[in-house]
Short mmCIF file of all heavy atoms in Angstrom, two decimals:
data_model
loop_
_atom_site.label_atom_id
_atom_site.label_comp_id
_atom_site.label_asym_id
_atom_site.label_seq_id
_atom_site.Cartn_x
_atom_site.Cartn_y
_atom_site.Cartn_z
N ASP A 201 23.21 21.98 41.72
CA ASP A 201 23.94 20.80 41.18
C ASP A 201 23.13 19.56 41.33
O ASP A 201 23.03 18.75 40.40
CB ASP A 201 25.30 20.66 41.87
CG ASP A 201 26.29 21.77 41.51
OD1 ASP A 201 25.95 22.54 40.54
OD2 ASP A 201 27.30 21.89 42.18
N VAL A 205 21.50 17.20 38.30
CA VAL A 205 21.77 15.74 38.18
C VAL A 205 20.45 14.97 38.18
O VAL A 205 20.21 14.07 37.33
CB VAL A 205 22.71 15.25 39.31
CG1 VAL A 205 22.79 13.73 39.32
CG2 VAL A 205 24.09 15.85 39.12
N GLU A 287 18.71 -14.04 9.38
CA GLU A 287 18.93 -13.18 8.25
C GLU A 287 19.25 -11.80 8.85
O GLU A 287 18.81 -11.43 9.95
CB GLU A 287 17.66 -12.98 7.41
CG GLU A 287 17.19 -14.30 6.78
CD GLU A 287 16.17 -15.01 7.65
OE1 GLU A 287 15.59 -14.37 8.51
OE2 GLU A 287 16.00 -16.23 7.47
N ARG A 305 28.66 4.73 33.72
CA ARG A 305 29.27 3.48 33.23
C ARG A 305 28.41 2.30 33.69
O ARG A 305 28.00 2.23 34.81
CB ARG A 305 30.69 3.36 33.80
CG ARG A 305 31.41 2.12 33.31
CD ARG A 305 32.80 2.06 33.98
NE ARG A 305 33.67 3.13 33.57
CZ ARG A 305 34.44 3.21 32.47
NH1 ARG A 305 34.38 2.09 31.66
NH2 ARG A 305 35.14 4.19 32.18
N VAL A 359 20.84 -25.58 1.55
CA VAL A 359 21.92 -25.31 2.56
C VAL A 359 21.56 -25.85 3.95
O VAL A 359 22.29 -26.70 4.47
CB VAL A 359 22.15 -23.80 2.65
CG1 VAL A 359 23.30 -23.54 3.65
CG2 VAL A 359 22.55 -23.23 1.29
N CYS A 400 11.97 -17.51 21.16
CA CYS A 400 11.21 -16.44 21.75
C CYS A 400 11.24 -15.19 20.88
O CYS A 400 12.35 -14.82 20.44
CB CYS A 400 11.79 -16.13 23.16
SG CYS A 400 10.84 -14.93 24.12
N PRO A 427 32.36 -0.16 0.05
CA PRO A 427 31.54 -0.69 -1.05
C PRO A 427 30.65 0.46 -1.66
O PRO A 427 30.02 1.16 -0.89
CB PRO A 427 30.71 -1.83 -0.48
CG PRO A 427 31.52 -2.28 0.70
CD PRO A 427 32.16 -1.03 1.29
N LEU A 437 30.57 -8.62 2.36
CA LEU A 437 29.95 -9.36 3.47
C LEU A 437 30.30 -10.81 3.43
O LEU A 437 30.66 -11.38 4.50
CB LEU A 437 28.42 -9.17 3.38
CG LEU A 437 27.88 -7.77 3.64
CD1 LEU A 437 26.39 -7.71 3.23
CD2 LEU A 437 28.05 -7.40 5.08
N GLU A 440 34.06 -11.13 4.55
CA GLU A 440 34.27 -10.94 5.98
C GLU A 440 33.60 -12.10 6.81
O GLU A 440 34.15 -12.48 7.85
CB GLU A 440 33.68 -9.59 6.42
CG GLU A 440 34.38 -8.38 5.80
CD GLU A 440 35.86 -8.32 6.12
OE1 GLU A 440 36.28 -8.92 7.16
OE2 GLU A 440 36.58 -7.75 5.38
N ILE A 444 35.71 -15.03 9.62
CA ILE A 444 35.48 -15.07 11.08
C ILE A 444 36.08 -16.37 11.61
O ILE A 444 35.73 -17.45 11.15
CB ILE A 444 33.95 -15.01 11.40
CG1 ILE A 444 33.40 -13.63 11.05
CG2 ILE A 444 33.71 -15.30 12.87
CD1 ILE A 444 31.95 -13.52 11.23
N TYR A 452 30.87 -17.48 21.54
CA TYR A 452 29.51 -16.94 21.62
C TYR A 452 28.41 -17.98 21.95
O TYR A 452 27.52 -17.77 22.70
CB TYR A 452 29.15 -16.23 20.26
CG TYR A 452 29.99 -15.01 20.00
CD1 TYR A 452 30.39 -14.66 18.73
CD2 TYR A 452 30.34 -14.15 21.06
CE1 TYR A 452 31.15 -13.53 18.51
CE2 TYR A 452 31.09 -13.03 20.83
CZ TYR A 452 31.48 -12.70 19.57
OH TYR A 452 32.26 -11.59 19.33
#
Side-chain angles (χ1 to χ4, degrees):
D201 292 345
V205 171
E287 301 90 20
R305 183 182 295 275
V359 180
C400 186
L437 292 169
E440 296 301 336
I444 293 177
Y452 292 144

